């Protein structure tokens, strides 16, 4: 089942701010229990600020990026406008805002978390993002959890569409930790959301067949290589996963995700890009 969405669907290399979190000072992840009380003292400690990152990404030869919500040091209109201007000046497309917290399947706090996640839609729109990725749920797979997730996502869709955003979720956390609930969720949402396909999230002996099972839903790809503690990339595994995207006819951004041990994040990204580039130039 190939996806039919065509918004910004062309193969290209992208990068997530997660891959450069040490470069920008490694601010902590926070969630709905903080509201929008950003731990501001944790920001401004890196070699680069988030405002400086687009120009450096462009100089690195990449013109598409994704921003993790907790990497934003401020949410006021002035700052969001300044960051959007920095993206435009560097000719860098903001493909997606990644909301990396919130659990819409939490038995106690689902409504609170859903409202918090919804509040990020206006931030994504203000930044000029085309999409916003949310967590489908951290609960273990069950019919009740799946129903909660679907209701929550359906609640977000109209506002996202009004703001010109397409929602995505990811094969991540408890609910979408295996193919069956991924299929169930996407079939019941009838193409109204996209899949951020992350092949670094799943492990085990059935990893490749499991990933192949869901790859046709992919509208973006978090291209995450495995690095050993000595920071050696497992290129065979990386190419096997990339082959799955090629077989599925994937034609969106390959967002490089580096989380190896080396403090030189740019060098890790360069290793990944050298492999990923061949999957774009041969399409």
């Amino acid at each position: 089942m190939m996806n039919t969405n065509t918004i910004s669907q062309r193969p290209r290399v992208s990068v997530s701010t997660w891959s450069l979190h040490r470069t920008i000072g490694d601010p902590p992840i926070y969630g709905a229990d903080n509201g929008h009380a950003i731990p501001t003292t944790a920001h401004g400690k890196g070699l680069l600020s988030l405002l400086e990152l687009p120009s450096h990404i462009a100089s690195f030869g990449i013109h598409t990026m994704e921003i993790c919500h907790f990497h934003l040091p401020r949410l006021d209109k002035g700052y969001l406008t300044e960051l959007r201007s920095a993206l435009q000046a560097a000719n860098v497309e903001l493909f997606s805002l990644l909301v990396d917290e919130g659990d819409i399947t939490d038995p106690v706090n689902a409504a609170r978390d859903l409202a918090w996640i919804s509040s990020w839609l206006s931030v994504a729109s203000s930044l000029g993002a085309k999409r916003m990725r949310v967590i489908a749920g951290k609960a273990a797979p069950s019919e009740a959890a799946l129903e909660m997730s679907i209701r929550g996502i359906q609640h977000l869709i109209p506002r996202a569409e009004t703001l010109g955003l397409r929602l995505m979720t990811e094969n991540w956390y408890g609910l979408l930790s295996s193919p069956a609930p991924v299929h169930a969720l996407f079939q019941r949402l009838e193409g109204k959301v996209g899949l951020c396909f992350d092949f670094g999230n799943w492990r085990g002996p059935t990893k490749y067949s499991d990933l192949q099972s869901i790859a046709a839903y992919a509208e973006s790809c978090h291209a995450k290589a495995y690095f050993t503690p000595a920071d050696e990339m497992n290129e065979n595994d990386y190419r096997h996963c990339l082959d799955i995207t090629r077989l599925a006819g994937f034609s969106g951004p390959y967002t490089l995700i580096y989380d190896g041990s080396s403090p030189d994040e740019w060098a890790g990204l360069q290793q990944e890009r050298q492999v990923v580039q061949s999957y774009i130039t041969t399409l």
Side-chain angles (χ1 to χ4, degrees):
M1 185 187 102
M2 291 299 301
N3 74 71
T4 57
N5 180 63
T6 58
I7 302 173
S8 298
Q9 288 304 101
R10 57 180 174 82
R12 59 212 186 271
V13 178
S14 172
V15 66
S16 168
T17 57
W18 172 253
S19 302
L20 295 161
H21 65 283
R22 284 168 286 192
T23 297
I24 59 176
D26 200 13
I29 299 174
Y30 66 93
D33 52 338
N34 278 55
H36 287 303
I38 298 172
T40 53
T41 57
H43 288 267
K45 299 182 182 300
L47 296 174
L48 297 173
S49 70
L50 185 58
L51 286 173
E52 294 171 310
L53 206 56
S55 64
H56 282 76
I57 288 171
S59 296
F60 191 64
I62 294 177
H63 291 274
T64 299
M65 70 179 291
E66 297 184 297
I67 295 176
C68 299
H69 84 273
F70 60 95
H71 283 154
L72 291 162
R74 289 163 44 196
L75 299 177
D76 59 275
K77 182 179 179 181
Y79 179 81
L80 298 179
T81 300
E82 191 175 3
L83 180 53
R84 183 169 183 166
S85 296
L87 288 158
Q88 292 170 340
N91 192 29
V92 170
E93 166 200 27
L94 180 57
F95 183 74
S96 181
L97 177 67
L98 305 171
V99 180
D100 279 330
E101 260 302 341
D103 183 5
I104 61 177
T105 60
D106 185 276
V108 175
N109 295 312
R112 179 201 68 179
D113 286 18
L114 181 61
W116 181 81
I117 290 167
S118 180
S119 71
W120 287 98
L121 289 166
S122 60
V123 176
S125 177
S126 294
L127 288 172
K130 296 175 173 61
R131 310 208 177 188
M132 191 174 94
R133 191 271 280 130
V134 303
I135 298 167
K138 297 182 181 182
S142 69
E143 183 58 30
L146 187 64
E147 284 290 344
M148 284 185 72
S149 178
I150 290 170
R151 286 198 304 270
I153 292 172
Q154 287 175 331
H155 175 80
L156 295 171
I157 289 170
R159 184 155 184 261
E161 291 179 343
T162 297
L163 292 169
L165 295 164
R166 180 165 171 84
L167 280 180
M168 296 193 300
T169 190
E170 185 174 333
N171 55 308
W172 190 28
Y173 278 111
L175 185 63
L176 299 189
S177 59
S178 62
V182 173
H183 287 297
L185 183 136
F186 278 89
Q187 288 166 7
R188 287 157 71 174
L189 287 172
E190 300 178 324
K192 293 180 180 178
V193 298
L195 174 66
C196 175
F197 179 68
D198 189 318
F199 48 66
N201 287 343
W202 288 2
R203 301 282 190 271
T206 62
K207 170 182 173 176
Y208 301 126
S209 59
D210 287 350
L211 289 172
Q212 188 169 352
S213 171
I214 67 166
Y217 299 116
E219 295 179 9
S220 73
C221 176
H222 279 182
K224 183 190 300 178
Y226 172 73
F227 285 82
T228 69
D231 207 49
E232 296 175 351
M233 184 174 71
N234 185 335
E235 186 172 333
N236 288 335
D237 173 76
Y238 204 37
R239 288 190 179 277
H240 198 151
C241 293
L242 289 164
D243 286 341
I244 290 170
T245 66
R246 176 180 281 168
L247 288 170
F250 176 71
S251 61
Y254 286 92
T255 299
L256 306 178
I257 304 291
Y258 174 75
D259 59 4
S261 60
S262 172
D264 189 346
E265 294 168 308
W266 297 103
L269 289 170
Q270 177 60 13
Q271 287 187 69
E272 291 183 334
R273 178 170 61 175
Q274 286 176 338
V275 178
V276 170
Q277 192 65 47
S278 65
Y279 286 80
I280 293 172
T281 56
T282 57
L283 286 173

